Amino acid sequence: MPSPLPLLRGFVFALLAVTSVAFLSPYAIVLTLPLMFSTSSYGLYRWWHDNLANSWFTFMAVLIEKVMGTRLVVTGDSLNQYKNDRALVISNHRTRLDWMFLWSFFLREGRLQNLKIVMKSMLKKLLPFGWPMQSAAFIFLNRKWEEDKEYLQDYMEFLHQQDYPAQVLLFPEGTDKTANTTKRSDAFAEKEGLAKLSNVLQPRVTGFSYFLQQMRNDPKFSAVYDVTISYHPFPPQNESSIFTGFPSEFRAHIERFDQKDLPETEEGVAEWLRTRWTLKDERLGRELSSSSSSPLLPQERESANSDETVVSGQLFHILLWLFVTILSLNLFITSSVAFYFTLVSWVALQSLTIYSPIDLWEIALNFHEKEE
């Protein structure tokens, strides 16, 4: 039975997360869809949804740190001088909630607005969060390589057409680390003659190599960020952790690699990725064996970008989302027009998600406009 405080924190966090998305989506997504279909208004559509995602992610990052009580520690390379990087960001995948905690990291680095996360396609159907993830132009994979390969090629071409320095977040392991996935990872390592890894899963080199190849087709692509993440004193393995308690500390160690310094061949890229994962495994092993009272490993320092005032200063986003959530919920309760509009929008958005996803519309329309 969860203790009262984590349960209360989790209830507040979940309530604000669900209601803010569910009751604002009909207005923020449905009413702006017509902007997608015109070349003159598409830029406004993309600007609106990128900034909307940035604002909501900021709101969630503040809730994770201030309501759920998780402190972020950032170490490694400073990215201050690389603000215009169009980057491929890779990370180990410790839990199902990693991408949520990484919002705090991207917020501190000033890159949250341009974040595109690679996710399983089934998450499109996750009510109500699948709708804004599609409008934010996240990348959804079916984990069937022949289907995903064609989709990725189209998506990357679409992304190259955007004028901002996108950050593509990829988990090369493909799934979070559990007892079952660790067994499968070890079996794969044994079959391929690879060293078994204790603290991470074996990375999937084919997908990473293809992502890197597609990113390199963009002349603006500049770097790969290798992020090693960990939680202390325990990992929030899945969504139930929202109600049982989040860890007191989330650590992100970053290393930046200029794309010019990366191997050119597929074999070289595969070897580079496996080497990075071996180093991750060793680093995480040292963390686990070090004193739990020390937030950083010896001779490492906390990044200047991790000053918690960066999050504390996001008062605008906190007040904005509290206001629009209360307003839209009040309209839903007091206005019959808003009530039926919201219900119809929910049904329409979920139907589109199942039969004709919004993110695929956007990619197809961009190609049509390019051909014209």
Side-chain angles (χ1 to χ4, degrees), residues 89-155:
V89 185
I90 56 175
S91 172
N92 56 305
H93 203 351
R94 181 61 188 86
T95 80
R96 287 165 55 124
L97 305 182
D98 291 336
W99 48 282
M100 287 176 48
F101 286 87
L102 281 165
W103 288 335
S104 290
F105 165 76
F106 283 99
L107 172 62
R108 281 191 171 78
E109 300 299 333
R111 295 151 195 272
L112 197 53
Q113 178 177 344
N114 304 325
L115 177 63
K116 308 300 176 189
I117 306 177
V118 181
M119 314 186 84
K120 298 175 183 177
S121 61
M122 61 183 291
L123 293 176
K124 281 186 186 181
K125 301 176 183 178
L126 178 64
L127 292 170
F129 302 105
W131 311 330
M133 287 193 294
Q134 292 174 68
S135 62
F138 281 9
I139 305 169
F140 298 96
L141 301 182
N142 292 315
R143 302 181 75 178
K144 297 178 181 177
W145 181 237
E146 290 306 315
E147 295 178 12
D148 289 337
K149 185 177 181 180
E150 182 178 353
Y151 163 76
L152 281 174
Q153 186 174 0
D154 291 344
Y155 182 92

Side-chain angles (χ1 to χ4, degrees), residues 72-291:
L72 171 66
V73 174
V74 180
T75 61
D77 295 341
S78 172
L79 301 179
N80 288 339
Q81 60 182 312
Y82 303 110
K83 295 186 182 298
N84 293 320
D85 270 354
R86 182 170 285 198
L88 176 60
V89 185
I90 56 175
S91 172
N92 56 305
H93 203 351
R94 181 61 188 86
T95 80
R96 287 165 55 124
L97 305 182
D98 291 336
W99 48 282
M100 287 176 48
F101 286 87
L102 281 165
W103 288 335
S104 290
F105 165 76
F106 283 99
L107 172 62
R108 281 191 171 78
E109 300 299 333
R111 295 151 195 272
L112 197 53
Q113 178 177 344
N114 304 325
L115 177 63
K116 308 300 176 189
I117 306 177
V118 181
M119 314 186 84
K120 298 175 183 177
S121 61
M122 61 183 291
L123 293 176
K124 281 186 186 181
K125 301 176 183 178
L126 178 64
L127 292 170
F129 302 105
W131 311 330
M133 287 193 294
Q134 292 174 68
S135 62
F138 281 9
I139 305 169
F140 298 96
L141 301 182
N142 292 315
R143 302 181 75 178
K144 297 178 181 177
W145 181 237
E146 290 306 315
E147 295 178 12
D148 289 337
K149 185 177 181 180
E150 182 178 353
Y151 163 76
L152 281 174
Q153 186 174 0
D154 291 344
Y155 182 92
M156 288 302 178
E157 181 63 29
F158 153 76
L159 192 63
H160 297 167
Q161 297 173 31
Q162 309 307 311
D163 294 329
Y164 51 73
Q167 314 289 298
V168 177
L169 174 59
L170 171 69
F171 297 101
E173 294 161 324
T175 189
D176 58 308
K177 182 174 171 58
T178 65
N180 287 335
T181 58
T182 298
K183 288 180 182 179
R184 293 201 298 268
S185 176
D186 289 346
F188 175 81
E190 187 171 343
K191 177 183 176 182
E192 298 295 323
L194 303 171
K196 294 182 180 179
L197 303 173
S198 302
N199 304 296
V200 292
L201 303 177
Q202 294 289 339
R204 301 183 181 187
V205 298
T206 302
F208 171 75
S209 297
Y210 190 75
F211 262 98
L212 183 60
Q213 174 191 337
Q214 291 299 316
M215 293 289 283
R216 278 176 159 165
N217 291 335
D218 181 359
K220 297 178 183 178
F221 172 56
S222 49
V224 170
Y225 300 161
D226 182 12
V227 183
T228 302
I229 62 174
S230 59
Y231 303 88
H232 301 270
F234 57 85
Q237 194 63 51
N238 52 46
E239 292 78 5
S240 66
S241 301
I242 294 173
F243 301 101
T244 57
F246 274 6
S248 59
E249 190 171 276
F250 171 63
R251 302 178 187 176
H253 180 78
I254 182 166
E255 296 175 77
R256 181 188 182 276
F257 297 89
D258 193 291
Q259 67 93 6
K260 297 176 183 177
D261 298 330
L262 298 175
E264 294 288 341
T265 65
E266 287 190 20
E267 295 79 8
V269 168
E271 182 62 27
W272 181 88
L273 183 65
R274 289 193 177 110
T275 299
R276 296 308 310 164
W277 248 246
T278 298
L279 294 173
K280 278 183 190 293
D281 190 54
E282 293 172 355
R283 176 184 179 81
L284 291 169
R286 291 196 303 271
E287 278 198 34
L288 290 173
S289 63
S290 67
S291 171

